[in-house]
């Protein structure tokens, strides 16, 4: 097959008539949402966008033979006020983020798609997404579910990681996956500086029962939570396989709707 004849799950590589046909066939649209923000001294600012988009594409490719699915372009900006003090970060406010997501899903509705799976790749988006889901469904009429890929895959991530059970920030996990996916965005000469606080229970610190906004600068001068020095490309490949398997399984099961 030529490159043009090879099937693709990527929205941006499909024509409008091809996408219309996918809508008519009942395809699920995977909408990756991420962020552009600081990731310590050793990683480029596009980590969340790169990893979320890659995980969604590979997972959809794995699922496509069993269920029609298409992956929309990754939303590269989200809720990242807590990273602003470190520089290198874009952020939206709550009304703007909500409006952008509703507009994107309305576009899918107008094209005849019925089901959307929002796949998140940034911890700062999680609370907002959960809060927006009722509004998005009510205002678009579509069936909309949301997941965070590294939370979905956490049980499979834990045995692979040495110092943590799940993704922290610019940590062993994210650094390893970037080594596997986009090594040109990893500054090997800065890895010796790429470590920060290690919490036995990150949720107790980042999401305590009584919450107040905290800048990441008050938690970690380096911008890192965890220890990126433990990252290796081999770990990254294993984490990527675990993440894409978990997401592909969710897409195929259609669990949020069926």
């Amino acid at each position: 097959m030529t490159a043009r004849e090879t099937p693709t799950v990527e929205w941006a590589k499909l024509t409008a008539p091809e996408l219309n046909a996918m809508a008519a066939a009942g395809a699920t649209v995977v909408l990756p949402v991420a962020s552009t923000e600081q990731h310590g001294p050793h990683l480029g600012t596009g980590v969340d966008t790169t990893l979320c988009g890659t995980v969604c594409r590979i997972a959809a490719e794995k699922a496509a033979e069993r269920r029609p699915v298409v992956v929309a372009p990754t939303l590269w900006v989200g809720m990242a006020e807590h990273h602003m003090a470190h520089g290198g970060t874009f952020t939206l406010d709550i009304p703007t983020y909500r409006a952008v997501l509703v507009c994107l899903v309305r576009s899918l509705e107008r094209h005849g798609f019925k089901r959307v799976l929002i796949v998140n790749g940034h911890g700062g988006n999680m609370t907002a997404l959960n809060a927006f889901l009722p509004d998005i469904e009510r205002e678009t009429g579509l069936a909309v579910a949301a997941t965070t890929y590294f939370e979905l895959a956490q049980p499979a991530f834990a045995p692979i990681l040495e110092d943590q059970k799940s993704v922290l920030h610019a940590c062993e996990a994210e650094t390893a996956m970037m080594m596997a996916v986009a090594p040109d965005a990893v500054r090997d000469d800065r890895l010796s500086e790429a470590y920060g606080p290690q919490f036995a229970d990150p949720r107790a610190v980042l999401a305590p029962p009584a919450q107040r906004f905290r800048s990441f600068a008050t938690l970690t001068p380096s911008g890192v939570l965890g220890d990126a020095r433990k990252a290796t490309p081999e770990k990254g490949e294993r984490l990527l396989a675990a993440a894409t398997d978990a997401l592909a399984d969710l897409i195929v099961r259609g669990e949020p709707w069926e």
Side-chain angles (χ1 to χ4, degrees), residues 19-37:
L19 288 162
N20 292 339
M22 294 194 75
T28 297
V29 178
V30 173
L31 175 59
V33 299
S35 184
T36 299
E37 63 189 35

Side-chain angles (χ1 to χ4, degrees), residues 105-122:
V105 178
R106 275 189 180 142
S107 295
L108 299 174
E109 176 195 19
R110 292 174 65 184
H111 298 319
F113 291 98
K114 302 297 184 185
R115 303 199 306 184
V116 181
L117 177 61
I118 299 173
V119 179
N120 176 44
H122 167 56

Side-chain angles (χ1 to χ4, degrees), residues 78-79 91-99 132:
M79 304 300 300
T91 192
L92 299 176
D93 58 25
I94 285 283
T96 304
Y97 191 43
R98 178 191 178 284
F132 295 160

Side-chain angles (χ1 to χ4, degrees), residues 36-40 45 80-90 215 217:
T36 299
E37 63 189 35
Q38 73 84 21
H39 270 78
T45 57
E81 178 63 36
H82 51 303
H83 289 296
M84 289 296 287
H86 281 292
T89 299
F90 289 95
S215 168

Side-chain angles (χ1 to χ4, degrees), residues 138-204:
R138 185 181 67 250
E139 295 182 30
T140 67
L142 301 192
V144 184
T147 187
T148 297
Y149 80 83
F150 49 82
E151 292 285 296
L152 183 67
Q154 190 276 331
F157 274 20
I160 299 170
L161 300 168
E162 292 182 50
D163 283 351
Q164 55 193 79
K165 294 181 179 180
S166 61
V167 169
L168 294 174
H169 185 74
C171 56
E172 176 187 353
E174 289 191 320
T175 303
M177 286 189 285
M178 288 297 287
M179 287 175 170
V181 169
D184 58 328
V186 182
R187 307 294 186 263
D188 292 335
D189 60 331
R190 303 295 298 273
L191 277 171
S192 63
E193 309 165 50
Y195 61 93
Q198 179 66 271
F199 305 121
D201 181 6
R203 292 183 183 277

